[in-house]
């Protein structure tokens, strides 16, 4: 049984709650899951994976978190062509520009975004968001 990685960065736990729920969805879909803080994995660790999820809140000014997630995503870009990637993250006040930019960046590099767009939520995930996270996990498991 193949393992599906859910790699995230989270400062105050909101995006981590989403990651954990996506992990539950993957397990409910019958696949093994590895929910991993981005500081515990390198881009090479995901290089050969066909399906995975990446999560990061909106940080900076509508950007990925700069110390860990941004270098990780930059390092992963050469390997994303043909990969199926679920995206997710929390935000505080913006209009989700960070997520649209992130999607575009990965699509330009040849990735397919699972469910066509990332799951976003304002601050801590409510039950509707957690349902979406569960669905994303199941969709990843079904690929
Ligand atoms: C330094 C910093 C920069 C942020 N920049 C943005 C931003 O540009 N747009 C936005 O909508 N939220 C922004 N936020 C709010 C976070 O995205 C929000 O608090 C989110 O829920 C944090 O998720 P986490 O608990 O997974 O860290 C920022 C928060 C911090 C601490």
């Amino acid at each position: 049984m193949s393992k599906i990685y859910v790699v995230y960065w989270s400062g105050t736990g909101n995006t981590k709650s989403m990651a954990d729920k996506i992990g539950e969805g993957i397990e409910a879909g019958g696949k093994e899951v590895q929910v991993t803080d981005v500081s515990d994995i390198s881009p090479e660790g995901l290089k050969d994976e066909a399906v995975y999820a990446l999560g990061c809140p909106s940080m900076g000014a509508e950007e990925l978190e700069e110390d860990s997630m941004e270098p990780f995503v930059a390092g992963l870009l050469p390997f994303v062509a043909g990969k199926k990637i679920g995206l997710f993250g929390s935000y505080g006040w913006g209009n989700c520009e960070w997520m649209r930019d992130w999607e575009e960046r990965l699509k330009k590099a040849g990735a397919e975004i699972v469910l066509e767009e990332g799951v976003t939520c304002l601050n801590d995930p409510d039950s509707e968001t957690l349902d979406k996270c569960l669905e994303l996990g199941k969709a990843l498991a079904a690929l």
Side-chain angles (χ1 to χ4, degrees):
M1 193 165 64
S2 61
K3 187 191 280 190
I4 297 180
Y5 282 87
V6 179
V7 177
Y8 70 91
W9 184 92
S10 185
T12 57
N14 298 331
T15 304
K16 182 184 186 309
S17 300
M18 300 173 81
D20 288 338
K21 191 53 86 171
I22 292 165
E24 276 180 38
I26 291 170
E27 278 181 342
K31 294 268 169 75
E32 201 180 318
V33 64
Q34 177 88 43
V35 180
T36 303
D37 189 299
V38 68
S39 59
D40 295 328
I41 190 167
S42 67
E44 286 69 28
L46 278 191
K47 176 164 98 64
D48 298 323
E49 300 299 322
V51 177
Y52 49 86
L54 302 175
C56 184
S58 180
M59 296 293 286
E62 296 296 327
E63 287 154 341
L64 296 176
E65 183 276 327
E66 65 181 350
D67 290 331
S68 306
M69 200 69 191
E70 173 52 42
F72 179 82
V73 170
L76 192 61
L77 275 188
F79 312 121
V80 302
K83 305 302 177 71
K84 297 182 162 98
I85 304 175
L87 293 180
F88 62 98
S90 172
Y91 66 99
W93 52 79
N95 65 3
C96 296
E97 191 185 334
W98 109 101
M99 182 57 78
R100 289 193 295 278
D101 289 349
W102 195 11
E103 285 165 1
E104 276 314 303
R105 198 172 162 197
L106 291 172
K107 281 192 206 163
K108 251 191 190 157
E112 180 185 321
I113 306 304
V114 179
L115 299 186
E116 293 180 17
E117 58 182 34
V119 179
T120 56
C121 76
L122 184 62
N123 299 316
D124 55 322
D126 58 10
S127 63
E128 194 186 327
T129 303
L130 291 173
D131 285 349
K132 280 190 195 160
C133 290
L134 202 64
E135 287 314 308
L136 176 57
K138 287 180 187 170
L140 290 164
L143 291 170

